[in-house]
Amino acid sequence: MTTLSLAYADLVHDLPRPLTPDLVGQALLDAAADHYRREWADSCLVEFTMQTATYLYDTAGADSSRAERTVAAWAVTPHDIASRDVSYQRGFPLPPSPDGTPTDRGHLIPHLSGGEFGPNIFPQHRPLNRGWSVQGKRFRALEREASAACTFYFGHLLYEDESDFPASIETGVLRGSTLHVECFRNRPPFG
């Protein structure tokens, strides 16, 4: 199991009870921003809401060779989910995997949790995205849990280079007063 980038339990420990998605989401985005800035000091982070999700995005700045990329996002799964726009997704650019393995257009906030396109899409290792690997089965289980319970869902993308291809993905769901987070490798070496 891969080590988490943040002490997630500590981040929500001192928040007022009962935990609300807005407070948890903001605490997690603030911590993800601090973590990202330590790795990428010249980052140009913006926070915005699109549809039902709130995103943290690095616009990279004009002088940077780093790709623009999503850092983190959170949402509360809505009761009703719109149909997927398949033609848009097919047309969304997909960079090649650094090691040549097949990739998918992954959703940081799953479609079943209200995730749309644009900053929500990232290159994802196909077996992870489709649940074909051991860690892919765990990844998909967290997505299904969030969509079935209409609960808080969080995603944090971790990068090892200046590309927009994350090395790891941390995803979490709120289970009452507990935030459960797991980390998944998206690039070799896979766990």
Side-chain angles (χ1 to χ4, degrees):
M1 179 170 222
T2 308
T3 305
L4 296 174
S5 68
L6 300 169
Y8 288 101
D10 293 344
L11 293 173
V12 299
H13 182 266
D14 293 330
L15 293 178
R17 297 298 195 262
L19 292 176
T20 63
D22 288 339
L23 285 175
V24 173
Q26 194 59 59
L28 296 179
L29 289 187
D30 290 347
D34 290 345
H35 179 269
Y36 189 82
R37 285 186 186 109
R38 284 192 298 275
E39 297 289 321
W40 311 98
D42 65 337
S43 63
C44 188
L45 296 176
V46 294
E47 185 178 316
F48 61 92
T49 300
M50 186 176 88
Q51 267 74 14
T52 61
T54 302
Y55 293 88
L56 182 63
Y57 190 81
D58 183 3
T59 63
D63 298 331
S64 179
S65 60
R66 187 176 55 260
E68 292 187 0
R69 56 198 187 182
T70 301
V71 176
W74 71 270
V76 174
T77 302
H79 292 283
D80 297 314
I81 305 297
S83 297
R84 191 182 294 240
D85 184 347
V86 176
S87 64
Y88 177 91
Q89 186 168 342
R90 281 190 190 124
F92 198 88
L94 184 64
S97 167
D99 69 340
T101 57
T103 58
D104 282 344
R105 290 167 185 87
H107 291 69
L108 186 55
I109 302 298
H111 177 74
L112 290 175
S113 289
E116 295 291 328
F117 298 109
N120 193 45
I121 303 270
F122 68 95
Q124 189 171 14
H125 182 62
R126 185 168 291 162
L128 175 62
N129 185 45
R130 297 184 184 187
W132 293 348
S133 63
V134 171
Q135 72 168 353
K137 288 177 184 8
R138 289 190 356 260
F139 183 83
R140 294 295 298 259
L142 280 175
E143 289 183 332
R144 284 190 301 275
E145 177 183 345
S147 65
C150 292
T151 190
F152 176 91
Y153 187 88
F154 171 75
H156 183 195
L157 300 175
L158 303 163
Y159 299 92
E160 294 176 346
D161 60 25
E162 294 192 341
S163 75
D164 64 350
F165 200 109
S168 297
I169 307 161
E170 294 175 341
T171 60
V173 295
L174 197 55
R175 296 174 175 163
S177 62
T178 303
L179 180 65
H180 175 81
V181 180
E182 293 187 42
C183 185
F184 305 94
R185 273 305 284 180
N186 194 47
R187 288 171 69 167
F190 298 107

